[in-house]
Amino acid sequence: MSLSGQIRTRSERVAALDLPPGPWERAWLNLRRRDIVARIGLAFVSAVVICIVIQGWNPPFGYREGDAPRNGVVARVPFTRKNLRETMKAEELARNQVRYIYKLDPRPLEQLRAALSTTLREIAAAPSLKDLTSGSKSEKWREFQPPEPAAASAKAAEKIEIPAEKKSEKSPEERFREFKSAFTGAEKIEQLDQALKIALAPYERRGLLQKLTKLGKLPAGKEQGNQEEILVYRVDPAAAAPTLNPAGLQTVKVADVLIGDGEAIHDSLRSSLKNDGVADGVFAWLRPKLALAPTLSLDEKATLDSIDKAVQAVPEAEDIYAAGTILAEGGKPLAQEQIALLRMEYAKMLEDRWNTAPMSLLLRGGAVMLMVFVAFLLCGVYTRYRQRTPAVGLGRVFVITLISLATVAFAQWAAADRWHAEIMPLVLFGMTMAIITRRELAMMVTGTLSAVVVLALGEDLSELIVLLGTITTAILCLGGIRSRSKLIYVGLLAGAVAAALNLAMETIGDQPWGWLLLKNSLLTGLWTVAAGFVMTGLLPFVEQAFGVLTDLSLLELGDVAHPLLQELVRRAPSTYNHSVTVGSIAEAAAESIGARGLLCRVGAYFHDIGKMLKPGYFVENQSAEGNRHESLVPAMSTLVIIAHIKDGSDLGRQHHLPQPIIDLIAQHHGTTLVEYFYGRAQRESDPENGEVDESSFRYPGPKPQTKEAAVLMLADAVESASRTLVDPTPARIESIVRELAERRLDDGQFDESGLTLRELRTIERSLAMSLASIYHGRIKYPDQKTA
């Protein structure tokens, strides 16, 4: 025998040897895959978003109301605090010093002076007192009579200085003539007018006011505005609306414009008229009319504007704290006022850091983002190599990432001093992850988020221990949710653990014992219990959003009153009986390897619903009428048999069965061969036409993708095969179970299910035991007859 080709040297043979790629080469090849690049990009974007949400570039605040720092807290930078109380005092003082603004309209006083002049002329024109003693003239004369000393005040009596004996000596006619003589004649009338004008000119210029006007929009009970001075501006009588000209404002003493008892006007009349008697008479006429003719009115809008300007001009009062000032004593719980002070110092510290050393803050933000990115990347690596299930596919990873970001944001918001509820969103996220994925992945991802939240809040290791302990308890106790109260019980247990852990860690941290410590611990436990109640309400939405089935939903789905099962009982009762038997043995086999037995049982109930469309073509439903396949060619019979997979999947979708159940329907035969009709086709085929195409006699698949689907495939096969045994002894049952398992293993049906050989052997033993118990022998009594 000759060998063709060239003879290679030893070095050439060594160089031509194709070795498997090393770890670095495999890593490089993986990085070139689109799904891996997408996961890495998603982890990076998530890290950036979380860094922005928690403001990772800023050092955390780190103080909460009720916490007792071990050491005293001192100011790191000098800062000031607004003193609202002192500022309000200064604003009130400024408000009371504002001079109110009044509008001056001298027309009432001018008209009053004109009326006085007219009245005096009428009196001067009267020949005698008798001409004034009747009608309106008599009333006008009486208005000029000063009050009697007994009715007047003592001060007025002193100023009038008219002795009572003199008054009594003069008759009314004499007083009339004396009063009239002062302004009889045109020249005297003119002098009187000038004297009146001079006497009242200051009041026409400054104005008259009965009393200071108060603003109704300001608090009552205190004196408002400046009580010594006011501002006055003259209005134009011809203008439609008075306008304020700041240049026209004049400062007027309040005492100069208040009418009061009128003695200032009285004195001015005496000084101008040079005749006390006439001055007293004129004042007696003016006094009651002055109160009805004020010339000043408050300009509320201008006054309010002036008050606002004065208040705004008041500088804010501030308390100055130097660097190193003790802001809180060690060992004492922080009160709300101290927390506010510490936040001011924290804000000033950040401002100074951004102004003096911004690069250090940017580096911190980059470090936080890198840490979160690496943590998410490790979670992604775990899901890629340790949990390769549809539940952690790229689409699900994206949705889980969005929920993670929302959880971190919600936890940071809920961590406010009034809530202290950061544990609630984390427990909710952990429960959700445990429902839609495995517990290991749930604990890993939730633990990562807990570390991020602790970093964002500036808490220490004790807070992380409380969070991790509580979340781990909730995830481990979740298990199968077979009742609506399960999540509430899990919340109660996790809440008790949370309260105990918080109490223990605070005690270890030298926090003082008291009601505040107990309250915070109970609050932590209550928020955890609340998470259990909230998760109970969210459970249906979680199942629908992620396409998962809890045991509670499976129990409801497996009710025999389901329309599809009722129709299966009516159309194909033997198939229903077969499905129930397969469900019972598949459940035990799945639980023996730690898979979901309830999912296998409920899936088995529906796995053959496609047979109800053509029940007579399946052996378990055939009656004495004969086998319908005898009139069909093997290929047609195969199509009829295989069709029950597609028909069952369509029925499941039509009746809104969950996707995991539809997957079990489609996968429970995998791509196995319909051996009976394949063998028959081989026997009936013509050798001249070639061999029979085996692929035409195989189920369309897909192969089982989960352990539950693999268990159901094997349970379905062994249950059907065991019915053909004439004497189903345990040894024969075990033999046929092993044979069927080996066939499917050799056929590659379990390649994509994740089953190990050890688990396969465990399933075989469980199925053999279940079938042996179903077909166990019975004692034949002497008088028992064969039916």
Side-chain angles (χ1 to χ4, degrees):
M1 182 177 180
S2 61
L3 299 176
S4 60
Q6 298 179 354
I7 300 177
R8 296 181 297 179
T9 63
R10 178 179 299 175
S11 59
E12 290 175 341
R13 291 196 300 271
V14 171
L17 183 62
D18 189 12
L19 294 176
W24 292 108
E25 187 177 357
R26 288 198 303 270
W28 173 249
L29 292 175
N30 285 330
L31 287 176
R32 298 175 63 182
R33 297 179 53 179
R34 289 185 178 181
D35 61 331
I36 298 297
V37 173
R39 290 171 185 262
I40 294 175
L42 186 60
F44 179 76
V45 172
S46 302
V48 173
V49 173
I50 285 182
C51 185
I52 294 174
V53 169
I54 67 175
Q55 297 183 352
W57 53 85
N58 289 334
F61 178 60
Y63 297 103
R64 285 185 172 185
E65 185 179 353
D67 291 346
R70 293 185 178 181
N71 303 315
V73 182
V74 299
R76 293 165 286 185
V77 293
F79 69 100
T80 58
R81 180 179 68 169
K82 297 178 182 179
N83 193 326
L84 296 179
R85 184 176 301 175
E86 294 298 326
T87 301
M88 291 177 64
K89 288 182 179 179
E91 290 177 351
E92 182 66 22
L93 181 61
R95 189 179 292 112
N96 289 332
Q97 290 178 349
V98 171
R99 291 173 293 190
Y100 281 19
I101 300 175
Y102 286 83
K103 297 178 290 186
L104 172 61
D105 185 2
R107 288 178 296 176
L109 191 57
E110 292 175 354
Q111 293 174 1
L112 187 63
R113 179 164 54 81
L116 174 61
S117 178
T118 301
T119 304
L120 290 175
R121 281 180 168 83
E122 292 178 357
I123 293 175
S128 64
L129 183 60
K130 293 181 179 181
D131 297 326
L132 296 176
T133 55
S134 62
S136 59
K137 293 182 178 181
S138 175
E139 181 65 27
K140 290 179 181 180
W141 167 246
R142 282 197 296 269
E143 290 177 351
F144 286 92
Q145 302 304 310
E148 295 295 333
S153 62
K155 183 177 180 181
E158 289 180 6
K159 290 198 173 199
I160 294 175
E161 294 180 355
I162 301 177
E165 57 275 9
K166 286 187 178 182
K167 286 186 177 182
S168 60
E169 293 176 356
K170 293 182 180 181
S171 65
E173 181 67 28
E174 292 176 341
R175 291 200 300 271
F176 169 72
R177 291 185 179 279
E178 183 179 350
F179 182 79
K180 177 182 174 181
S181 63
F183 49 85
T184 299
E187 184 179 353
K188 291 185 177 181
I189 288 291
E190 185 64 28
Q191 292 177 353
L192 178 64
D193 288 342
Q194 290 297 325
L196 289 175
K197 188 174 182 180
I198 294 172
L200 298 178
Y203 302 101
E204 294 179 3
R205 185 178 63 255
R206 296 191 301 257
L208 286 175
L209 193 63
Q210 186 68 24
K211 62 179 181 178
L212 292 177
T213 307
K214 292 188 176 182
L215 287 172
K217 295 184 179 181
L218 294 179
K222 295 183 179 180
E223 295 295 338
Q224 297 178 349
N226 196 316
Q227 301 296 307
E228 296 180 354
E229 295 179 341
I230 60 173
L231 296 176
V232 176
Y233 71 95
R234 194 180 186 96
V235 298
D236 185 5
T243 56
L244 172 62
N245 182 9
L249 287 174
Q250 60 173 329
T251 304
V252 177
K253 296 288 185 182
V254 173
D256 293 340
V257 297
L258 284 180
I259 298 174
D261 57 4
E263 291 305 319
I265 299 176
H266 194 180
D267 293 341
S268 179
L269 289 172
R270 286 184 173 183
S271 175
S272 299
L273 296 175
K274 308 299 182 180
N275 188 324
D276 292 347
V278 175
D280 293 343
V282 171
F283 177 71
W285 186 89
L286 283 174
R287 179 66 186 87
K289 297 176 177 58
L290 288 174
L292 301 177
T295 60
L296 294 176
S297 61
L298 180 65
D299 189 339
E300 291 194 7
K301 183 178 182 304
T303 302
L304 288 174
D305 291 341
S306 179
I307 291 174
D308 291 340
K309 291 179 181 179
V311 171
Q312 292 173 3
V314 174
E316 292 184 344
E318 295 180 340
D319 297 331
I320 301 176
Y321 294 87
T325 304
I326 297 178
L327 305 179
E329 298 182 7
K332 294 184 178 180
L334 296 175
Q336 186 175 4
E337 184 178 355
Q338 291 174 309
I339 291 293
L341 186 63
L342 291 173
R343 286 194 180 278
M344 293 178 187
E345 187 270 345
Y346 171 73
K348 181 61 176 176
M349 183 271 297
L350 288 182
E351 181 183 352
D352 290 352
R353 289 278 294 273
W354 278 112
N355 292 332
T356 58
M359 186 56 64
S360 63
L361 296 178
L362 294 177
L363 289 175
R364 187 183 190 280
V368 170
M369 185 183 67
L370 180 62
M371 184 200 73
V372 177
F373 172 66
V374 172
F376 278 10
L377 201 61
L378 292 176
C379 292
V381 171
Y382 176 84
T383 60
R384 173 69 183 170
Y385 293 103
R386 294 295 181 183
Q387 193 152 345
R388 300 180 65 179
T389 63
V392 287
L394 186 58
R396 294 286 177 85
V397 168
F398 178 74
V399 176
I400 292 173
T401 302
L402 291 180
I403 299 177
S404 302
L405 299 178
T407 300
V408 172
F410 184 29
Q412 189 175 24
W413 173 79
D417 287 338
R418 57 179 178 177
W419 300 114
H420 282 230
E422 67 275 7
I423 196 170
M424 184 178 178
L426 291 171
V427 173
L428 283 174
F429 180 81
M431 288 183 174
T432 303
M433 287 294 296
I435 291 172
I436 65 177
T437 64
R438 296 180 182 176
R439 297 176 183 176
E440 296 85 355
L441 180 60
M443 287 190 288
M444 173 178 287
V445 178
T446 313
T448 300
L449 295 188
S450 300
V452 171
V453 171
V454 169
L455 175 66
L457 299 179
E459 297 290 342
D460 52 13
L461 183 62
S462 62
E463 178 72 10
L464 182 61
I465 292 175
V466 172
L467 293 177
L468 291 180
T470 305
I471 294 168
T472 302
T473 301
I475 292 175
L476 293 180
C477 294
L478 200 58
I481 306 175
R482 287 178 172 261
S483 65
R484 300 187 183 277
S485 59
K486 177 64 178 291
L487 290 170
I488 297 176
Y489 290 140
V490 170
L492 289 172
L493 180 59
V497 172
L501 279 176
N502 188 78
L503 194 61
M505 298 311 299
E506 295 293 345
T507 303
I508 294 174
D510 295 333
Q511 293 295 317
W513 267 77
W515 165 243
L516 193 58
L517 177 60
L518 293 175
K519 185 189 75 172
N520 290 337
S521 300
L522 289 175
L523 194 60
T524 302
L526 289 176
W527 284 122
T528 307
V529 174
F533 281 92
V534 173
M535 195 66 220
T536 302
L538 293 178
L539 183 59
F541 302 100
V542 172
E543 290 180 323
Q544 184 177 5
F546 291 93
V548 296
L549 278 175
T550 61
D551 289 352
L552 178 61
S553 297
L554 287 172
L555 288 172
E556 295 175 351
L557 188 63
D559 188 359
V560 70
H562 193 283
L564 278 177
L565 298 181
Q566 288 292 305
E567 191 66 16
L568 182 62
V569 171
R570 189 179 68 84
R571 292 192 177 199
S574 297
T575 299
Y576 173 76
N577 183 50
H578 158 73
S579 299
V580 172
T581 305
V582 171
S584 64
I585 64 176
E587 182 179 19
E591 290 179 349
S592 67
I593 62 170
R596 297 188 65 187
L598 186 58
L599 177 59
C600 285
R601 174 158 66 88
V602 177
Y605 290 167
F606 294 93
H607 81 288
D608 275 344
I609 56 175
K611 292 182 178 181
M612 74 171 72
L613 299 182
K614 296 184 180 73
Y617 286 91
F618 297 90
V619 64
E620 68 268 20
N621 298 313
Q622 291 175 355
S623 60
E625 297 178 359
N627 190 346
R628 296 186 180 184
H629 291 284
E630 293 178 356
S631 60
L632 300 177
V633 296
M636 182 59 68
S637 297
T638 301
L639 291 177
V640 174
I641 296 299
I642 291 176
H644 86 278
I645 296 294
K646 184 178 182 303
D647 293 339
S649 300
D650 293 341
L651 284 172
R653 295 186 187 94
Q654 182 180 349
H655 288 79
H656 307 291
L657 291 182
Q659 189 59 42
I661 301 297
I662 298 176
D663 292 340
L664 291 179
I665 295 173
Q667 299 170 17
H668 80 275
H669 279 296
T671 59
T672 56
L673 184 67
V674 185
E675 296 179 359
Y676 177 81
F677 294 108
Y678 176 67
R680 180 179 163 186
Q682 283 184 323
R683 291 191 300 271
E684 297 178 358
S685 65
D686 187 355
E688 296 180 358
N689 296 331
E691 295 182 358
V692 178
D693 184 10
E694 181 181 304
S695 62
S696 301
F697 291 87
R698 283 188 177 273
Y699 283 94
K703 294 179 180 180
Q705 303 296 306
T706 61
K707 294 181 179 181
E708 289 80 8
V711 170
L712 180 59
M713 167 186 278
L714 197 53
D716 181 41
V718 300
E719 199 282 332
S720 300
S722 64
R723 291 178 180 272
T724 64
L725 296 177
V726 178
D727 186 13
T729 61
R732 291 183 178 180
I733 292 174
E734 184 177 351
S735 175
I736 197 171
V737 170
R738 173 60 63 86
E739 179 185 353
L740 291 173
E742 292 293 342
R743 284 184 190 177
R744 278 151 180 76
L745 180 63
D746 295 340
D747 197 22
Q749 298 300 318
F750 303 140
D751 291 352
E752 300 173 12
S753 65
L755 271 182
T756 64
L757 289 176
R758 176 176 295 180
E759 290 174 337
L760 182 59
R761 296 295 176 251
T762 303
I763 293 171
E764 292 174 11
R765 288 193 295 269
S766 175
L767 292 175
M769 291 177 60
S770 298
L771 289 173
S773 63
I774 292 174
Y775 297 110
H776 66 276
R778 301 179 185 275
I779 299 175
K780 185 176 181 179
Y781 294 96
D783 56 347
Q784 184 176 2
K785 297 181 180 180
T786 302

